[in-house]
Amino acid sequence: MVAFGKKLKERQIQEWQGYYINYKLMKKKVRQYAQQIEVGTLDRRHVLKDFSRMLDNQIEKIVLFLLEQQGLLASRIAKLNEYQEALEQEPDISQITQLREAYRAAGQDLLKLLFFVEINAIGLRKILKKFDKRFRYRFTDYYVKTRANHPYSLLQQVFKHVGLGAVIGAISRNLHELQEHQGSYLSIYDQPALPFQDPVVDSLKAAVDRLSHSTNFLNFLAQHALIMQEELPTPTEECADDQRYHFMSLFLNLVNTFLYMVNTYIIVPTADDYSTMLGAPATVCGVVIGAMAVAQVFSSVYFSAWSNKSYFRPLVFSSVVLLVGNAMYAMALDYRSITLLLVGRLFCGFGSARAVNRRYISDCVPVRIRMQASAGFVSASALGMACGPALAGLLQTNFKIYKFTFNQVTLPGWVMAVGWLLYLILLWITFREPSHETEEKNVSQDKAGPGENDVLEKGLKQPLLLSSEGKHEDENGDGECDDSEEAPEESRRPATSIASAYRLLTPSVKVQLLIYFMLKYAMEILLSESSVITSYYFGWSTSTVAIFLACLGLTVLPVNIIVGSYISNMFEDRQILLASEIMVCIGVLLSFKFVNAYTVPQYVCSGLIMFVSAEVLEGVNLSLLSRVMSSRLSRGTYNGGLLSTEAGTIARVIADATITLAGYLGQNRLLNATLIPSLFISVASIIATCFTYNSLY
């Protein structure tokens, strides 16, 4: 990948060049420290003192320049305010227009300053991470804690940027007052729920959101989608995104996500009954449910590759295949064919377009709303997961039309077939294929070099200094070239195969994928065997099972609200990660049948603990994964989202196969037989997490 030092140099505003962090010098200094410690000419204590002083000097240089520029902007706005007051006495339309443009020009200069702060914060964060990695010392914690909490802290100017917020407020208020509001005497302070809309103000707000970015519910939820971005976006990215973005097309991608999740879980409450009606054991439900996941292992790859060329055609293909698959599933009862049932579910899996949905959000949604779109993707998935079983519980009827049976086991197939038909019609009428030529054109423009105006609205949606994550890892624990600021072209390219993508994974990323595998395995065991276990031990009906599964699904969003808005602000992600793993393990242990009596409270409580803990674990794990995975996995066919999808899908396949194989031991042994692998994998993931704990940020 391109070294950060080179990107920093490319994106600097030339007249401010001397005030940016001297990243190249500091990186060189870190290498010198390492060499001097190795030969014994310096001790660690001296290195810490010297490096702290160097960082203090760099931050002081940045902050003093920032304050100077803030003062110049404030003086400029004050003069514009005086001119505005004079205009109020003798209004003139042409002069008001000029004044409005002058405020907007001040806003553009403020955007430069915001990007100046942001790119320096990125440099500070990266050099702190480099130091921690090189010397195996958590210097970042010490430095930020001692500097940020000091009464004379310079870092507070970066963290809080109160002065910049005041300048933004002044520009927003005055532009609002200059807008044509005949007869209106309301200011922006009187209508906080109706924010003033102006392109410059919107850009300023987006820049501040990136700059002051911290963990919250929306961001936490968005990271579930693992829709990755490059750390420093290309200068023309946002312009290109605006040209390619189409709201209805985004909405159709989210509807596709929702319908697919409904399709996945709508058969869970009745799969065992369907199997027995066709003369197979009830535990064959594991194969019936898992057939969809088996096909998805392969469909994820070809849909990801197909999305390089088109989004519309893969979605059409997906809808047609799912329509056919659900019709085959529904007709299997009348044809008395377990084979037709399984082939229908395989077809449904081959229609999984989640890779296309993720890719559309990543490539075609503007950066300023990408977090909301990613959160929408996760919310649609969670809603579909809850609605699937709930819908199955409502389809309790029995009638025939011609020779086709419509009852509780076939209606899920018929309902989903109709749903996909309606979706296909809507897709054909309203979807707009984004231009891939625009993307290629912008790539070529980026290679020609960015201009000053190109970089004003660019930056990271990343925490500033308190976040020690890194997306780039190599043998030195850092993603950059240590010997040169110029990185080879080969290192910028996306992975070209699963094997090459796997080679880009660091040990900590592999552990996180193992955790993802574990939680998906445990959740699939709980959900897929629920109908068999509850009917055997408690005599539950299909409706009761559907209500139980729907209630589990409905916990997803509330749990994420609590974790994203509160818990993640109180504890480190790695602490939540380890605690969640332990809770999943406890939930698995409590689910075992140790005595003759197996009660409903034991099953429901242990299942709830396991499911909720797994949901918390998934959110935190994908949040960490999205930060530390190589930026080369943020694009291309074999991207980070595909790897996580494959890990989760393979876990579901193995879990469903385990249920069917364990069924040969008898339903009385099914529960414990399927929980033993879950316990083993959860313990293994806890051990692996403990070994890599210090490398998780």
Side-chain angles (χ1 to χ4, degrees):
M1 73 200 67
V2 180
F4 173 77
K6 181 181 178 183
K7 289 189 176 183
L8 174 64
K9 186 176 180 180
E10 288 175 349
R11 286 156 173 76
Q12 287 180 357
I13 298 169
Q14 293 304 313
E15 60 265 32
W16 295 353
Q17 199 166 13
Y19 301 100
Y20 285 90
I21 180 175
N22 196 333
Y23 182 78
K24 186 175 181 179
L25 173 65
M26 298 189 76
K27 193 170 76 168
K28 182 179 178 182
K29 201 70 175 172
V30 170
R31 288 201 303 272
Q32 289 177 354
Y33 289 147
Q35 293 167 358
Q36 290 171 335
I37 288 177
E38 189 175 345
V39 299
T41 57
L42 270 183
D43 60 17
R44 188 177 294 266
R45 189 172 181 178
H46 178 82
V47 167
L48 295 177
K49 181 179 179 181
D50 191 52
F51 191 65
S52 297
R53 184 169 59 247
M54 182 182 294
L55 273 174
D56 290 341
N57 291 337
Q58 291 288 321
I59 293 171
E60 183 176 279
K61 173 184 71 175
I62 294 164
V63 170
L64 291 178
F65 177 75
L66 171 65
L67 293 173
E68 178 188 349
Q69 293 300 312
Q70 280 182 213
L72 293 174
L73 274 172
S75 299
R76 183 172 161 188
I77 293 171
K79 291 178 181 178
L80 291 175
N81 287 347
E82 292 174 3
Y83 185 52
Q84 182 176 345
E85 289 177 3
L87 273 179
E88 288 177 357
Q89 306 301 321
E90 298 180 8
D92 183 275
I93 297 298
S94 62
Q95 291 183 350
I96 289 175
T97 302
Q98 291 176 4
L99 182 60
R100 188 185 297 123
E101 291 305 314
Y103 275 119
R104 285 176 178 155
Q108 290 291 340
D109 288 340
L110 182 54
L111 272 175
K112 290 183 185 180
L113 195 57
L114 285 167
F115 183 65
F116 169 82
V117 177
E118 182 180 25
I119 201 168
N120 278 295
I122 296 166
L124 288 168
R125 175 175 56 80
K126 289 185 72 68
I127 200 65
L128 284 166
K129 174 183 175 288
K130 180 180 284 293
F131 189 93
D132 286 354
K133 288 281 185 179
R134 181 60 67 93
F135 297 104
R136 307 289 181 186
Y137 182 78
R138 294 196 62 80
F139 175 75
T140 302
D141 289 351
Y142 154 76
Y143 187 81
V144 173
K145 188 177 294 183
T146 54
R147 268 60 176 178
N149 296 326
H150 196 276
Y152 304 132
S153 170
L154 293 172
L155 276 181
Q156 288 292 344
Q157 290 292 328
V158 180
F159 287 143
K160 303 298 183 183
H161 48 84
V162 176
L164 290 174
V167 178
I168 293 170
I171 292 174
S172 301
R173 184 185 68 82
N174 286 290
L175 277 174
H176 180 267
E177 290 184 358
L178 288 172
Q179 203 177 29
E180 295 179 358
H181 286 299
Q182 290 90 348
S184 173
Y185 296 95
L186 297 176
S187 75
I188 60 172
Y189 305 110
D190 298 315
Q191 293 177 301
L194 298 172
F196 169 58
Q197 298 295 318
D198 185 278
V200 171
V201 175
D202 289 343
S203 298
L204 287 170
K205 288 179 179 177
V208 170
D209 286 343
R210 290 196 304 268
L211 191 58
S212 60
H213 176 73
S214 61
T215 303
N216 54 41
F217 167 58
L218 187 63
N219 176 60
F220 184 81
L221 196 63
Q223 287 173 326
H224 277 57
L226 201 63
I227 294 168
M228 300 178 63
Q229 304 180 83
E230 293 191 61
E231 185 160 11
L232 284 174
T234 55
T236 53
E237 179 184 334
E238 192 153 334
C239 177
D241 285 343
D242 284 334
Q243 294 174 17
R244 307 177 78 203
Y245 174 62
H246 180 230
F247 172 77
M248 196 61 193
S249 300
L250 171 62
F251 176 74
L252 287 168
N253 272 279
L254 298 181
V255 171
N256 184 282
T257 298
F258 169 77
L259 285 177
Y260 186 78
M261 292 303 289
V262 172
N263 211 147
T264 301
Y265 290 100
I266 193 172
I267 71 153
V268 172
T270 58
D272 59 332
D273 291 338
Y274 210 158
S275 301
T276 55
M277 286 182 183
L278 295 176
T283 51
V284 171
C285 70
V287 173
V288 175
I289 296 168
M292 197 167 175
V294 171
Q296 191 180 341
V297 172
F298 304 99
S299 66
S300 296
V301 177
Y302 68 71
F303 272 117
S304 184
W306 201 350
S307 63
N308 290 326
K309 299 181 179 179
S310 174
Y311 300 99
F312 176 68
R313 287 191 291 274
L315 290 175
V316 170
F317 177 78
S318 165
S319 304
V320 172
V321 171
L322 280 157
L323 192 159
V324 172
N326 281 290
M328 293 171 70
Y329 179 87
M331 291 188 291
L333 181 64
D334 294 300
Y335 286 94
R336 298 292 172 184
S337 173
I338 190 73
T339 303
L340 186 61
L341 183 76
L342 294 174
V343 171
R345 287 295 286 178
L346 283 171
F347 264 63
C348 291
F350 284 127
S352 171
R354 286 172 67 80
V356 179
N357 305 144
R358 274 196 179 103
R359 189 72 179 272
Y360 184 88
I361 294 172
S362 176
D363 292 353
C364 303
V365 175
V367 174
R368 65 178 181 274
I369 62 169
R370 193 171 296 162
M371 184 187 295
Q372 291 91 326
S374 300
F377 176 87
V378 176
S379 300
S381 298
L383 189 60
M385 184 180 180
C387 287
L391 187 58
L394 297 175
L395 302 176
Q396 303 297 305
T397 186
N398 192 352
F399 60 92
K400 271 200 167 193
I401 297 179
Y402 186 44
K403 63 176 181 179
F404 296 114
T405 303
F406 295 82
N407 60 18
Q408 65 178 14
V409 298
T410 62
L411 273 171
W414 291 121
V415 168
M416 292 312 304
V418 171
W420 286 113
L421 177 61
L422 295 175
Y423 174 79
L424 180 60
I425 295 170
L426 187 63
L427 180 73
W428 194 272
I429 295 172
T430 60
F431 189 87
R432 189 175 75 190
E433 179 76 87
S435 171
H436 288 264
E437 293 178 4
T438 304
E439 183 180 15
E440 294 170 5
K441 179 180 177 182
N442 286 323
V443 169
S444 63
Q445 286 175 351
D446 289 344
K447 290 180 180 178
E452 178 183 306
N453 292 333
D454 294 329
V455 300
L456 297 186
E457 298 179 27
K458 299 296 102 189
L460 262 186
K461 236 178 31 174
Q462 296 286 347
L464 296 183
L465 293 175
L466 287 175
S467 175
S468 307
E469 82 278 11
K471 286 176 180 269
H472 319 303
E473 299 288 342
D474 62 6
E475 65 274 8
N476 295 319
D478 192 299
E480 302 163 24
C481 300
D482 279 340
D483 298 324
S484 172
E485 290 296 333
E486 299 289 337
E489 183 70 27
E490 178 68 27
S491 65
R492 309 178 202 178
R493 296 175 183 168
T496 55
S497 67
I498 289 287
S500 62
Y502 183 79
R503 286 195 292 271
L504 293 173
L505 303 180
T506 61
S508 61
V509 173
K510 291 175 183 176
V511 168
Q512 287 173 268
L513 287 177
L514 170 65
I515 294 170
Y516 193 63
F517 177 93
M518 178 272 291
L519 68 91
K520 285 296 182 184
Y521 182 92
M523 290 172 68
E524 189 72 9
I525 289 289
L526 172 66
L527 298 174
S528 295
E529 71 176 9
S530 59
S531 58
V532 180
I533 295 298
T534 54
S535 62
Y536 178 77
Y537 287 106
F538 317 128
W540 282 8
S541 65
T542 299
S543 298
T544 308
V545 177
I547 292 171
F548 171 67
L549 294 177
C551 289
L552 286 180
L554 289 172
T555 63
V556 174
L557 291 180
V559 166
N560 282 317
I561 290 173
I562 294 169
V563 176
S565 300
Y566 303 105
I567 296 178
S568 59
N569 292 325
M570 298 163 58
F571 302 98
E572 293 181 18
D573 280 355
R574 58 181 181 170
Q575 293 173 328
I576 303 172
L577 184 84
L578 186 57
S580 301
E581 286 183 84
I582 294 170
M583 289 304 298
V584 170
C585 189
I586 291 172
V588 172
L589 280 171
L590 292 176
S591 298
F592 275 93
K593 181 179 180 291
F594 293 108
V595 295
N596 290 332
Y598 193 64
T599 63
V600 172
Q602 180 186 352
Y603 177 77
V604 172
C605 292
S606 60
L608 192 63
I609 291 171
M610 189 195 310
F611 187 84
V612 170
S613 301
E615 278 299 322
V616 173
L617 181 59
E618 181 176 7
V620 177
N621 188 55
L622 290 182
S623 173
L624 285 167
L625 200 57
S626 67
R627 300 178 201 170
V628 300
M629 198 172 275
S630 169
S631 64
R632 289 177 63 185
L633 295 174
S634 65
R635 56 195 183 276
T637 300
Y638 302 95
N639 52 60
L642 177 64
L643 291 181
S644 65
T645 299
E646 293 292 83
T649 304
I650 291 171
R652 289 171 53 209
V653 170
I654 295 174
D656 291 322
T658 302
I659 293 170
T660 300
L661 292 174
Y664 288 104
L665 300 175
Q667 290 192 28
N668 60 325
R669 297 179 181 176
L670 176 65
L671 180 65
N672 288 352
T674 53
L675 289 175
I676 289 172
S678 297
L679 181 63
F680 174 79
I681 299 171
S682 63
V683 170
S685 71
I686 291 171
I687 294 171
T689 301
C690 291
F691 276 113
T692 58
Y693 186 77
N694 288 331
S695 64
L696 296 174
Y697 289 90

